[in-house]
């Protein structure tokens, strides 16, 4: 499903598996005093689920968010889908942390903190976009470089304002985050 672009369906099924695993582990946590580690049969049974979760995360980070400026122009539904998955994971993290306060049990791999990873990936992509601009050997390379960067910044901020803002939940403050990322890119330069 992930390879075929059915990200929401893949995530839905993954969440069903995680819920089943977490419910089983919670019951074991309540009934036994022994530590439930990664070698426990229940964890071992669901080991492939963690690999699928990692594959889904990599798909979101590298195929959608790393290329978000291009994706939002060609197929914004991919970006919206990725953000919906990230928001679902954030809700699952909150639920898991609330459950930990009540029971002392935190499911393996939680919290995932995918929202932070999303914003970090967007920031990294922004910085790489500026760092990857070619430099020439002629004496006016700095003027050429700055002119190219200026054009890219204006184009990118226009894209963010026009296309990103409608795709992202308001709580992300994506226009503000993008401005900060752009400023950070200049600090590195």
């Amino acid at each position: 499903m992930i390879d075929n672009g059915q990200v929401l369906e893949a995530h839905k099924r993954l969440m069903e598996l995680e819920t089943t695993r977490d419910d089983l582990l919670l019951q074991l946590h309540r009934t036994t005093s022994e530590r439930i580690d990664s070698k426990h049969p229940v964890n071992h049974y669901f080991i492939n689920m963690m690999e699928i979760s990692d594959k889904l995360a990599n798909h979101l980070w590298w195929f959608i968010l790393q290329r978000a400026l291009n994706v939002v122009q060609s197929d914004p539904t991919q970006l919206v889908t990725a953000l919906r998955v990230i928001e679902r994971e954030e809700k699952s993290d909150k639920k898991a942390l609330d459950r930990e306060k009540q029971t002392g049990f935190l499911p393996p791999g939680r919290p995932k903190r995918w929202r932070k990873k999303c914003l970090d990936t967007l920031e990294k992509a922004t910085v790489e976009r500026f760092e990857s601009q070619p430099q020439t050997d002629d004496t006016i390379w700095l003027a050429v470089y700055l002119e190219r960067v200026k054009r890219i910044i204006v184009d990118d901020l226009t894209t963010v304002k026009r296309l990103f803002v409608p795709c992202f939940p308001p709580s992300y403050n994506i226009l503000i985050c993008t401005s900060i990322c752009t400023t950070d890119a200049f600090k590195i330069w």
Side-chain angles (χ1 to χ4, degrees), residues 35-41 43-44 47:
R35 186 171 178 270
I36 302 169
D37 60 9
S38 61
K39 295 180 182 177
H40 192 278
N43 278 325
H44 185 70
I47 194 83

Side-chain angles (χ1 to χ4, degrees), residues 136-149:
T136 61
D137 291 333
D138 62 23
T139 56
I140 60 167
W141 75 268
L142 182 58
V144 172
Y145 175 79
L146 291 175
E147 184 61 34
R148 191 177 303 129
V149 168

Side-chain angles (χ1 to χ4, degrees), residues 127-138:
V127 169
E128 287 175 0
R129 186 157 169 85
F130 293 105
E131 289 178 347
S132 68
Q133 293 304 309
Q135 298 179 3
T136 61
D137 291 333
D138 62 23

Side-chain angles (χ1 to χ4, degrees), residues 22-158:
D22 296 349
D23 289 346
L24 287 169
L25 289 174
L26 178 61
Q27 291 303 320
L28 285 170
H29 174 77
R30 287 179 175 159
T31 60
T32 183
S33 60
E34 69 181 59
R35 186 171 178 270
I36 302 169
D37 60 9
S38 61
K39 295 180 182 177
H40 192 278
V42 173
N43 278 325
H44 185 70
Y45 181 81
F46 287 99
I47 194 83
N48 290 338
M49 182 190 66
M50 295 301 286
E51 293 171 9
I52 294 169
S53 179
D54 291 343
K55 183 176 182 172
L56 177 62
N58 285 331
H59 180 80
L60 296 177
W61 310 145
W62 308 121
F63 293 110
I64 298 174
L65 293 170
Q66 188 73 24
R67 303 176 316 110
L69 280 171
N70 296 331
V71 169
V72 78
Q73 292 176 13
S74 62
D75 187 8
T77 58
Q78 283 186 2
L79 182 59
V80 171
T81 297
L83 294 168
R84 287 180 64 192
V85 168
I86 291 164
E87 286 301 299
R88 285 180 183 176
E89 285 295 334
E90 285 296 304
K91 287 178 184 173
S92 293
D93 281 352
K94 184 178 178 342
K95 182 178 174 184
L97 291 170
D98 290 345
R99 182 186 283 180
E100 180 188 30
K101 288 177 186 173
Q102 295 172 352
T103 66
F105 171 75
L106 184 64
R110 289 280 173 203
K112 291 183 180 180
R113 295 185 175 95
W114 280 14
R115 179 179 173 161
K116 180 181 180 338
K117 178 71 174 171
C118 167
L119 294 174
D120 289 347
T121 301
L122 290 171
E123 180 178 354
K124 182 180 176 188
T126 302
V127 169
E128 287 175 0
R129 186 157 169 85
F130 293 105
E131 289 178 347
S132 68
Q133 293 304 309
Q135 298 179 3
T136 61
D137 291 333
D138 62 23
T139 56
I140 60 167
W141 75 268
L142 182 58
V144 172
Y145 175 79
L146 291 175
E147 184 61 34
R148 191 177 303 129
V149 168
K150 180 180 106 177
R151 198 171 343 107
I152 289 171
I153 290 172
V154 170
D155 291 346
D156 288 356
L157 288 176
T158 301

